[in-house]
Amino acid sequence: MLNIGCHLSVTRGYCAMAEDALYTGSSCFQFFTRNPRGGAAKPIGGEDIAKFLELAKARGLNSFLAHAPYTINPCAAKPQVLEFARTTMADDLDRMEHLPGNLYNFHPGSHVGQGLERGIELIAETLNLVLKPDQTTTVLLETMAGKGTEVGSHFEELREIIDRTELSEKLGVCLDTCHIFDAGYDIAGDLDGVLTEFDRVIGLGRLRAIHLNDSKNPFTSHKDRHEVIGGGSLGLETFKRVINHPALRALPFYLETPNDLAGYKAEIELLRGLYDE
Ligand code: FE
Ligand code: FE
Ligand code: ZN
């Protein structure tokens, strides 16, 4: 069965989020651990989480992907900004242990003029500070579109971050279809070629999740504007090939398309219909 879900809000609690997941036909889902604009995190634990875990087990919900806030920069130049990213990530990872064995995704960061090399060095340093040997969460580096000074729009950059991380067995990669297309990997024209390249540089074993998004912009635009599935430059055929590809089809797929819950429900139904059982 296709393991697919969408981005949900945790504002009303974990049980309410599970209900939203079930309404949309999701079997997995993504959520922000806290307000994406930053700020305090919703407490995690207690009765809500216990009930959530029970409900998830009973209804087959799995692969919970927590997304770090967009606003942190794990390779910031300013010490206080860097420190904020590190305390946020460390706190998120602590809290994720209430949902053992799941996933935490983050944007590697923007080097803000320090250069790629320095950016990569700082990101690895951040990971070396926040990863713990006994954590059960796999931390995912997201492939980026290459907007501004973003690090992580080339597979080689992610590889270097992984190589410099001591507890690299805790790391994986989340491939975002909109981002890599915007970055210059032609998954619409040559999916096999892109995956061969991913395997050569990073290794397909590191690939743990896919963000399914169409792109509002053309190939190599470096823009990062998501579009609904089939409504952008990637097109529905591309998504049919992505979800059915032998190297990808068993992974969890997460929609981050511009949709409300009803829109997600329709999109999930559409994609389930395109999956070869
Ligand atoms: Fe993201
Ligand atoms: Fe994404
Ligand atoms: Zn994006």
Side-chain angles (χ1 to χ4, degrees):
M1 201 179 86
L2 176 61
N3 195 10
I4 189 170
C6 57
H7 186 90
L8 297 171
S9 166
V10 73
T11 338
R12 290 173 297 115
Y14 283 82
C15 284
M17 184 163 62
E19 295 297 344
D20 288 347
L22 294 170
Y23 164 77
T24 56
S26 296
S27 47
C28 58
F29 62 85
Q30 174 175 275
F31 62 103
F32 285 124
T33 49
R34 56 187 77 218
N35 185 319
R37 299 244 140 259
K42 205 173 163 55
I44 180 169
E47 210 188 329
D48 183 40
I49 280 287
K51 277 192 180 150
F52 165 79
L53 288 171
E54 235 172 78
L55 181 62
K57 198 175 171 191
R59 304 295 300 271
L61 295 171
N62 68 93
S63 307
F64 313 129
L65 174 51
H67 196 305
Y70 291 147
T71 43
I72 62 165
N73 187 0
C75 59
K78 289 184 185 154
Q80 1 28 315
V81 181
L82 189 57
E83 185 51 31
F84 177 72
R86 290 169 174 177
T87 49
T88 301
M89 288 175 77
D91 182 50
D92 281 349
L93 287 175
D94 266 354
R95 288 145 29 80
M96 277 302 285
E97 290 302 312
H98 290 280
L99 301 171
N102 285 288
L103 305 164
Y104 180 70
N105 174 74
F106 76 105
H107 296 177
S110 294
H111 67 68
V112 291
Q114 302 173 95
L116 261 179
E117 258 316 289
R118 180 63 181 150
I120 288 167
E121 205 176 279
L122 286 172
I123 295 159
E125 199 179 287
T126 297
L127 288 167
N128 286 331
L129 286 166
V130 304
L131 296 180
K132 297 284 177 286
D134 55 348
Q135 72 178 57
T136 64
T137 304
T138 301
V139 174
L140 307 182
L141 296 153
E142 183 167 355
T143 59
M144 301 310 291
K147 199 173 40 164
T149 63
E150 263 173 6
V151 180
S153 64
H154 296 95
F155 297 157
E156 287 79 2
E157 295 162 25
L158 300 179
R159 173 80 249 174
E160 253 199 82
I161 295 166
I162 294 166
D163 284 344
R164 292 180 192 205
T165 303
E166 286 151 33
L167 293 171
S168 63
E169 70 274 16
K170 307 287 181 194
L171 290 180
V173 172
C174 173
L175 187 151
D176 186 307
T177 56
C178 166
H179 295 178
I180 65 165
F181 186 69
D182 284 15
Y185 292 100
D186 187 10
I187 48 164
D190 184 18
L191 177 61
D192 274 326
V194 172
L195 293 177
T196 301
E197 181 66 3
F198 187 100
D199 195 36
R200 185 184 69 80
V201 178
I202 300 177
L204 280 167
R206 290 275 180 192
L207 186 54
R208 298 293 305 276
I210 308 279
H211 280 166
L212 278 185
N213 304 302
D214 213 326
S215 175
K216 280 196 201 297
N217 291 291
F219 184 52
T220 67
S221 63
H222 304 291
K223 284 278 207 295
D224 188 5
R225 299 276 316 279
H226 302 182
E227 184 52 281
V228 294
I229 299 300
S233 329
L234 290 178
L236 197 54
E237 264 306 304
T238 300
F239 291 99
K240 187 178 174 177
R241 284 197 293 271
V242 166
I243 60 176
N244 286 297
H245 194 284
L248 309 178
R249 55 183 286 114
L251 291 170
F253 295 94
Y254 304 86
L255 294 163
E256 302 176 302
T257 45
N259 273 307
D260 55 11
L261 287 183
Y264 277 136
K265 181 180 162 72
E267 220 161 52
I268 288 167
E269 211 169 87
L270 169 74
L271 289 161
R272 287 200 188 282
L274 296 176
Y275 191 67
D276 304 326
E277 294 298 342

